[in-house]
Amino acid sequence: MAQEAIHFMTVRELADQLTAGAVSSVELTQHYLDRAEELDIPPFELPSEPRLDHEGKLATMVTIAREHAIESAERADTELRAGRRRSILHGIPYGVKDLLDTAGIRTTWGSGIFRDRVPDRNAAVIDNLEEAGAVLMAKMSLGEFAGGNTSSALNPWKLDRTSFGSSSGTVSAAVAGLIGFGIGTETGGSIVFPASAVGASGLRPTFGRVSRFGCMPLSWSLDKIGPVGRSAEDCGYILEQISGHDARDDSSANRSFNFQVGPPDLRGKKLGVHRSEFELSQSEHTGRVFQEALDAFANMGVILEDISFPLRPTGALFTTIVTAESGTIFRPLFDDGRAAGMFTFNADRAAGWMAGRMMPVADYLTAQRIRNQLKREADEIVSRYDAVIAPTWPNGAALREVSQGWPIPARNEWEPPDELSAQTPRLNYIANLVGHPGLAIPCGFDEDGLPLSLQIVGSAFDEQAVLDFGMGFQRETDWHLRRPQYPWRE
């Protein structure tokens, strides 16, 4: 087993190794566990407030389920040797954001309040992956209660930079070669933004595509669960296994997803370019990287056409909806006093939840009505194209530790002043509000060697289209194959 490289292989490459008998699931799992032991475990207990004393460890994993992983890998090997391959994921170790329930393995929601919480059931996604033969290895770190941009997980490209979002543990571990693939969640950008910061491929599925049963809710009408990998193709394989109708989730759509590997010929496909977001980069170099990425699509025969979305109060809509829904969801923490145990960085968020409990119902209903109008507008614009595209974030990852200012700490609910209003990643927030799928893929690096990313957004339930564009781009470029150097840069 080429241990120096196997941890960076894609899902298909790992599956080929397992099928050919070049490596066993137990060997592969042990290898990832050993890497986690060496590179990830910090000198403090997780979940935790963000800290500075990591001693170079990435801290992407709240809980490493070593015994469970080895037992699952042994079972996978027995079935694979008998020719009973359940799926392409059979025998591959993965990590899941620590919001999803795992029977017998603690699920903390990133909070010290639930440090000892051990569910007696699995989330629907975990059951689906178990049925697919995948090996649950770790519960991944996040911001407390999936909150904003604050997380213990470090960015493997440069430790002083943000990992940017509540699925940060999942994406950092995937890029650092600590897991075979990962599962994240997104309400307003928590898969795609951290994927952008660390150069992962991350997919936000259509709202309702993946069951949220057994996952901590933050916003009933906005939450999504999606895959994270080292390629767009990885995301397609994973989505196929975790999607499908589930009567236990009232928002679950009765729509199956059958991944077509492809990619097909993209000549003649139409890609809408949200040009205003390509003009937000803070340097000529970064702007040139994004333009070269668009040129790559043009060289594949893709028809590029500039588009413009209506300027709507997406920040206010997001704030109103999430504050009202999360304030209701977390009310028990205030009723019994447990909210006092929230981490200090979440103090203003806790205050927001309290305010959300007192929000006039007219405000919430008005926000939902405007959201429906936005959905009609966005559906009409996106339907003219096979997909639309913008930078996932206009620049590389900012500093992790700052005293003040935007975008760090980045808050989805924050509405920038008028002179910065164009700097809001509007395609992302519109897509999240209306429930459209979006794929973040790496497309180059800024002057400091930090990843840059594109987000490709498609019409509802057309994940295949965004994956086709992602696979086509990754067929012609090698940005997704670049790895952070070790020892990690300080």
Side-chain angles (χ1 to χ4, degrees):
M1 179 174 70
Q3 290 189 346
E4 68 281 1
I6 197 168
H7 45 265
F8 285 131
M9 287 184 177
T10 64
V11 162
R12 182 167 63 175
E13 291 167 340
L14 290 172
D16 288 345
Q17 293 282 311
L18 289 163
T19 301
V23 63
S24 70
S25 180
V26 168
E27 291 174 324
L28 182 62
T29 301
Q30 189 63 59
H31 179 59
Y32 278 122
L33 289 168
D34 290 346
R35 277 182 63 80
E37 187 77 29
E38 176 187 0
L39 303 177
D40 198 66
I41 302 175
F44 52 85
E45 186 180 359
L46 291 171
S48 168
E49 295 266 11
R51 296 170 58 151
L52 298 178
D53 57 338
H54 279 245
E55 297 181 4
K57 307 301 184 181
L58 294 180
T60 69
M61 302 178 184
V62 176
T63 302
I64 300 176
R66 179 177 292 273
E67 291 184 8
H68 175 88
I70 294 298
E71 290 174 3
S72 298
E74 290 172 344
R75 184 164 56 251
D77 282 335
T78 299
E79 293 175 341
L80 288 169
R81 284 194 298 268
R84 297 197 299 271
R85 189 188 193 216
R86 293 172 177 260
S87 77
I88 194 169
L89 305 182
H90 202 162
I92 299 178
Y94 75 96
V96 59
K97 186 174 179 178
D98 200 26
L99 295 184
L100 278 73
D101 281 350
T102 43
I105 301 169
R106 71 173 183 155
T107 302
T108 70
W109 299 354
S111 176
I113 297 171
F114 295 110
R115 189 181 305 278
D116 299 318
R117 178 177 178 270
V118 180
D120 59 4
R121 65 171 187 186
N122 282 332
V125 166
I126 303 301
D127 279 337
N128 289 342
L129 289 171
E130 185 174 291
E131 180 63 27
V135 174
L136 173 62
M137 173 186 150
K139 306 298 294 294
M140 314 308 293
S141 54
L142 65 151
E144 184 180 35
F145 301 123
N149 187 45
T150 306
S151 167
S152 295
L154 299 186
N155 188 326
W157 289 96
K158 201 166 188 295
L159 299 183
D160 69 343
R161 300 306 176 102
T162 179
S163 52
F164 204 4
S166 75
S167 295
S168 53
T170 304
V171 298
S172 290
V175 167
L178 302 182
I179 51 177
F181 67 89
I183 301 295
T185 72
E186 175 156 323
T187 303
S190 292
I191 291 175
V192 296
F193 284 163
S196 171
V198 306
S201 295
L203 176 64
R204 173 191 65 250
T206 305
F207 179 81
R209 173 69 87 179
V210 178
S211 171
R212 301 171 301 173
F213 175 79
C215 180
M216 184 209 85
L218 179 63
S219 174
W220 292 296
S221 67
L222 283 166
D223 295 343
K224 308 105 184 161
I225 300 174
V228 173
R230 289 184 274 271
S231 69
E233 186 176 325
D234 281 2
C235 293
Y237 290 129
I238 302 161
L239 180 62
E240 184 172 38
Q241 299 302 319
I242 65 175
S243 62
H245 181 255
D246 183 355
R248 297 169 298 180
D249 179 354
D250 290 340
S251 67
S252 176
N254 193 11
R255 301 284 292 269
S256 61
F257 176 71
N258 300 308
F259 179 46
Q260 304 300 310
V261 178
D265 188 350
L266 294 178
R267 284 175 295 182
K269 297 288 186 180
K270 293 182 67 177
L271 193 58
V273 179
H274 199 221
R275 181 65 61 178
S276 63
E277 293 192 52
F278 281 91
E279 297 171 350
L280 298 178
S281 303
Q282 295 173 351
S283 73
E284 290 185 10
H285 171 86
T286 299
R288 188 165 55 250
V289 169
F290 284 128
Q291 184 56 50
E292 289 172 354
L294 292 178
D295 292 343
F297 282 110
N299 292 336
M300 286 182 262
V302 174
I303 300 169
L304 303 178
E305 184 177 313
D306 286 359
I307 62 171
S308 179
F309 283 98
L311 186 58
R312 301 288 182 240
T314 54
L317 291 177
F318 186 89
T319 299
T320 301
I321 293 167
V322 173
T323 300
E325 294 183 357
S326 59
T328 303
I329 289 164
F330 292 107
R331 177 172 180 168
L333 297 183
F334 296 93
D335 289 345
D336 62 16
R338 285 178 294 169
M342 291 174 66
F343 293 135
T344 56
F345 73 81
N346 247 343
D348 60 342
R349 195 154 169 255
W353 289 346
M354 292 185 69
R357 295 166 55 188
M358 298 178 283
M359 180 182 294
V361 67
D363 291 356
Y364 178 76
L365 293 176
T366 299
Q368 291 288 14
R369 291 180 66 187
I370 298 173
R371 179 186 183 186
N372 285 336
Q373 177 185 342
L374 180 63
K375 183 178 186 302
R376 289 192 296 271
E377 294 171 340
D379 283 346
E380 196 278 326
I381 293 171
V382 176
S383 68
R384 303 176 201 162
Y385 304 91
D386 295 287
V388 297
I389 193 169
T392 310
W393 192 257
N395 302 287
L399 289 170
R400 180 172 183 255
E401 297 289 333
V402 296
S403 59
Q404 60 184 1
W406 183 74
I408 306 298
R411 295 175 181 167
N412 295 335
E413 68 270 24
W414 181 76
E415 189 77 1
D418 291 341
E419 64 270 19
L420 294 179
S421 61
Q423 295 189 25
T424 303
R426 280 199 285 145
L427 176 58
N428 174 75
Y429 292 126
I430 291 170
N432 264 293
L433 283 164
V434 305
H436 285 182
L439 173 70
I441 53 171
C443 66
F445 294 88
D446 70 5
E447 297 96 324
D448 199 16
L450 295 159
L452 298 169
S453 173
L454 294 169
Q455 183 175 175
I456 304 166
V457 171
S459 295
F461 297 103
D462 199 2
E463 285 87 355
Q464 187 65 53
V466 300
L467 289 166
D468 284 346
F469 279 104
M471 290 187 292
F473 184 81
Q474 292 180 341
R475 178 182 58 190
E476 300 298 325
T477 65
D478 69 349
W479 303 116
H480 64 296
L481 302 178
R482 307 291 181 93
R483 310 300 182 203
Q485 68 182 41
Y486 184 77
W488 322 118
R489 288 194 299 156
E490 296 289 341

